[in-house]
Amino acid sequence: MQERHVAGMMELPERQFGFQTRALHAGARPEPETGARAVPIFQTSSYVFEDPESAAAYFNLQEYGNTYSRIMNPTVAAFEERIANLEVGAGAVAFASGLAAQSSTFFTLLSAGDHVVASRALYGGSITQLKHLFKKLSVELTFVDPDDPNEWHQATTERTRLFFGETIGNPGGNVMDIEQIAKVAHDHSIPLVMDNTFATPYLCRPIEWGADIVIHSATKFLGGHGTSIGGVVIDSGDFDWSNGKFAVIAEPSDAYHGLSFHETFGMYGFLMKLRSETLRDLGGCMSPFNAFLFLQGMETLPLRMDRHVSNALEIATWLEARSDVVSVSHPAIHYRENAGLLEKYLPKGAGAVFCFELHGGRSAGQNFIRNVQLFSHLANVGDAKSLIIHPASTTHRQLSDDELQAAGIAPGTVRLSVGIEDVEDLQWDLEQAFARSN
Amino acid sequence: MPEATKYQDPATIQRVLHTGRSIAIVGLSANTLRASHFVGYYAQRHGYQIIPVNPREEQVLGEESFNSLTAVGDTVDIVNVFRDPAAVPAIAKEAVAVGAKALWLQFGVISDEGAAIAADAGLDVIMDRCLKVEHARYIGRMHWLGLNTEVVTARRPVRR
Ligand SMILES: Cc1ncc(COP(=O)(O)O)c(C=O)c1O
């Protein structure tokens, strides 16, 4: 008995490893059967049970065991543990996309008649999801100025169940004062949910500032290769779901034969509910192959991010000095008067996605994009390659003019996601595009 | 992750799990949906001897239930508590009296007084941690659920 235990002993590291070390190693222990060092791609839909008792124990959640890959998969789990570790969370659940991660979080926490307070400056798809999809499910919504804690407080009602914002807004570049907004949320006994896609845990870890749940579109910087769509939800494990507002987690669940996720799983209650009910029922799981590709990407996350942010800052500063540019919305420029905010939340750099506005409105924006040669014209961000798009006619097309303005987008706005190429080559490309467009 | 306190030391947790054989679960319920039953079922599956301590039950998980720790008779290595924090000091005194080696207080069972009684008598004390979760973290398969075990190692696990 004792010997068996000692043989399987997995010790905590004797040292608190740094971020790059964990980006390479966390979640990816060598495979016990074969010794494979890379995380194997467990491309299987299902798993053979040892015996009927084990099968029952897995389905009853009495024992940790693989059942079916819609709910769990060892390759996906390695990705989940790695991002949970980097975001200093209790755990994570991966999804087929960033929007699947978001909708599943909202589904888990909200019921008809509940209310959400969200930042006005979100990714267009997130605004649409909240405004139209969740409205259909009778969830009420108030958009607020992300920079004004008082607006968040004022908008909160008895039925408000969560706050939602982005660390760095897409694409306006506003940076949320996470600590302040988390305080307001906690004063109302509700969680702050942060989309940390644009910052990545290398630049900012919202949980360290009081956020309760962090969501990523892994499609972007976590992967970095632009090959795969994926998303993930990380829970801090700190929020008290038994505070009276979250019967969905604290009370016995009809969808899981009367189990109370909070009582049974404590700090893992939300994550267990998210996986064994919402992921099970909505079904938007991440494929093992995509998880494998995200794991490869995350190994170099710190290296890439350093290059992304330095290239982006250099391009933004260079653009700002040009007379053919109306304005540049890079956070370092946007918050020049309030540099303390960036120093606090983004000391390593303020991301690599920002906008600039051209004279001449919509047609000037579209014309400029026609003329670039190295920037790829596509609807994504966070690729190691530089990307360009005209938000008003693409990613933010569903938004009204007022909503566009609120999100910091003008008709002549062009969005860049600055990659890790030689920065001189990126400047050359933009320079020649300016010359051809004039 | 919530901050670890002095009663949540990883080395102590691992030592207790690796050296303990019998676990007296105070407040073990026969209701399969209760957290105590989850922990008892799991620990029994993993080879520990489970000793139910609950005057309201006759038998749980196929084992005779005792009215109190002092009524057990057999060797108790770990006393695992699922009770109101106010009941902990008395349980800690009994744990000391029966010669237990560790007092393990589950999630939310927080009693500095009870913890001090056991610690002063030389018992290992673990507080506000789940025995099932900690076992799964170091010995079991918690990483299969995407939970952050905080285990970072390049060593090949020995097959179990
Ligand atoms: C900030 C942000 N959040 C969420 C999403 C949605 O992610 P996905 O496309 O992986 O569903 C995106 C995608 O563009 C995004 O930029």
Side-chain angles (χ1 to χ4, degrees):
Chain A
M1 173 75 213
Q2 191 171 324
E3 242 177 30
R4 195 193 69 177
H5 273 173
V6 172
M9 189 159 176
M10 297 287 291
E11 284 163 274
L12 262 200
E14 287 163 40
R15 179 181 160 77
Q16 187 54 52
F17 292 126
F19 191 92
Q20 174 67 75
T21 302
R22 290 181 289 122
L24 278 160
H25 288 275
R29 47 188 91 186
E31 207 279 313
E33 187 80 31
T34 59
R37 176 62 276 208
V39 176
I41 305 170
F42 287 96
Q43 194 71 31
T44 185
S45 62
S46 21
Y47 310 84
V48 177
F49 302 118
E50 295 93 328
D51 47 55
E53 293 74 31
S54 299
Y58 300 165
F59 275 96
N60 286 338
L61 304 178
Q62 290 161 312
E63 168 67 287
Y64 306 85
N66 291 309
T67 51
Y68 188 61
S69 286
R70 178 170 8 94
I71 299 163
M72 59 198 293
N73 173 280
T75 312
V76 177
F79 163 72
E80 290 165 337
E81 185 173 358
R82 180 168 301 173
I83 186 67
N85 185 298
L86 296 180
E87 286 283 10
V88 296
V93 181
F95 291 88
S97 69
L99 280 190
Q102 268 171 224
S103 58
S104 298
T105 302
F106 299 153
F107 251 94
T108 304
L109 294 177
L110 302 172
S111 306
D114 284 345
H115 175 250
V116 170
V117 181
S119 159
R120 197 172 280 147
L122 298 175
Y123 162 59
S126 301
I127 293 181
T128 309
Q129 182 183 70
L130 284 165
K131 229 181 88 173
H132 300 292
L133 178 68
F134 279 88
K135 185 174 172 191
K136 225 164 140 180
L137 304 173
S138 302
V139 168
E140 299 293 317
L141 177 72
T142 308
F143 284 119
V144 296
D145 176 356
D147 296 337
D148 182 357
N150 200 39
E151 270 201 39
W152 294 80
H153 169 68
Q154 296 290 335
T156 305
T157 72
E158 261 309 292
R159 291 304 301 268
T160 307
R161 286 297 175 271
L162 63 93
F163 284 1
F164 182 62
E166 292 176 358
T167 311
I168 307 173
N170 172 3
N174 63 284
V175 173
M176 231 167 90
D177 191 338
I178 301 168
E179 193 171 26
Q180 283 250 26
I181 307 298
K183 270 204 196 92
V184 179
H186 297 161
D187 284 347
H188 291 281
S189 305
I190 57 172
L192 172 63
V193 181
M194 291 298 299
D195 179 338
N196 199 33
T197 301
F198 274 29
T200 82
Y202 179 65
L203 299 179
C204 179
R205 290 176 291 281
I207 288 172
E208 289 178 349
W209 300 108
D212 302 285
I213 292 171
V214 171
I215 300 182
H216 281 275
S217 167
T219 316
K220 313 297 189 294
F221 296 99
L222 293 185
H225 32 53
T227 62
S228 317
I229 303 283
V232 65
V233 179
I234 301 105
D235 180 25
S236 71
D238 291 334
F239 191 81
D240 177 12
W241 302 106
S242 66
N243 67 13
K245 288 200 164 175
F246 293 91
V248 282
I249 294 175
E251 297 295 317
S253 170
D254 291 341
Y256 222 103
H257 50 66
L259 189 69
S260 156
F261 283 84
H262 178 75
E263 193 217 274
T264 307
F265 299 111
M267 63 188 275
Y268 304 106
F270 168 76
L271 287 165
M272 292 298 286
K273 174 120 179 159
L274 182 64
R275 180 184 302 281
S276 43
E277 281 191 11
T278 314
L279 179 57
R280 178 197 67 183
D281 298 344
L282 286 181
C285 61
M286 177 180 282
S287 84
F289 188 62
N290 279 8
F292 174 80
L293 293 172
F294 290 130
L295 282 164
Q296 304 315 302
M298 285 164 76
E299 294 192 351
T300 58
L301 179 71
L303 298 174
R304 284 185 287 111
M305 290 315 290
D306 278 337
R307 180 65 167 257
H308 273 296
V309 298
S310 70
N311 276 4
L313 184 60
E314 194 160 337
I315 298 281
T317 316
W318 176 79
L319 282 170
E320 194 196 13
R322 298 185 64 98
S323 58
D324 38 13
V325 169
V326 180
S327 64
V328 181
S329 74
H330 188 286
I333 294 169
H334 198 81
Y335 291 95
R336 198 166 270 155
E337 312 292 295
N338 188 8
L341 193 77
L342 294 192
E343 271 159 36
K344 177 170 176 179
Y345 292 108
L346 296 159
K348 290 196 170 79
V353 182
F354 66 91
C355 290
F356 64 99
E357 188 187 343
L358 292 163
H359 291 292
R362 190 174 292 259
S363 63
Q366 292 181 341
N367 209 20
F368 186 84
I369 282 172
R370 246 188 280 281
N371 287 318
V372 291
Q373 301 184 44
L374 198 52
F375 278 80
S376 305
H377 177 206
L378 54 76
N380 192 20
V381 299
D383 197 312
K385 303 167 202 72
S386 289
L387 316 174
I388 189 165
I389 201 156
H390 183 236
S393 48
T394 55
T395 51
H396 289 67
R397 195 186 181 83
Q398 317 305 333
L399 272 56
S400 70
D401 285 355
D402 284 351
E403 285 172 335
L404 271 182
Q405 202 184 8
I409 299 164
T413 292
V414 170
R415 185 184 76 189
L416 300 182
S417 172
V418 178
I420 63 175
E421 296 95 338
D422 293 295
V423 70
E424 300 79 12
D425 294 339
L426 299 177
Q427 278 169 357
W428 167 84
D429 191 25
L430 297 173
E431 182 74 67
Q432 64 83 28
F434 275 117
R436 281 171 199 244
S437 310
N438 287 337
Chain B
M1 297 280 288
E3 289 287 310
T5 71
K6 68 172 169 172
Y7 295 126
Q8 298 170 345
D9 173 50
T12 307
I13 288 173
Q14 290 177 72
R15 186 175 61 248
V16 168
L17 288 172
H18 283 300
T19 57
R21 259 196 60 74
S22 59
I23 308 175
I25 304 183
V26 184
L28 176 57
S29 169
N31 178 344
T32 56
L33 289 176
R34 301 307 301 269
S36 61
H37 198 90
F38 266 73
V39 171
Y41 178 92
Y42 176 93
Q44 194 178 52
R45 243 184 93 83
H46 284 267
Y48 294 95
Q49 186 203 341
I50 297 305
I51 306 166
V53 177
N54 186 345
R56 276 180 294 191
E57 308 285 358
E58 300 214 322
Q59 234 197 19
V60 188
L61 292 163
E63 300 285 346
E64 179 189 354
S65 180
F66 295 91
N67 287 345
S68 69
L69 273 175
T70 45
V72 171
D74 270 353
T75 314
V76 174
D77 295 328
I78 305 171
V79 175
N80 181 216
V81 184
F82 285 85
R83 288 287 307 279
D84 192 295
V88 174
I91 294 168
K93 281 177 199 150
E94 288 190 41
V96 173
V98 302
K101 299 183 191 71
L103 178 70
W104 189 310
L105 309 177
Q106 285 289 131
F107 278 146
V109 185
I110 296 168
S111 165
D112 285 321
E113 187 191 336
I117 291 168
D120 289 348
L123 276 71
D124 283 324
V125 178
I126 295 150
M127 185 159 86
D128 200 21
R129 282 281 186 264
C130 174
L131 187 142
K132 177 188 175 203
V133 167
E134 298 308 315
H135 182 280
R137 179 197 309 279
Y138 297 115
I139 301 159
R141 305 154 163 182
M142 185 170 145
H143 57 288
W144 280 0
L145 274 189
L147 301 176
N148 183 6
T149 62
E150 297 190 66
V151 174
V152 174
T153 179
R155 287 161 68 171
R156 181 170 171 174
V158 180
R159 287 208 64 217
R160 296 181 290 288

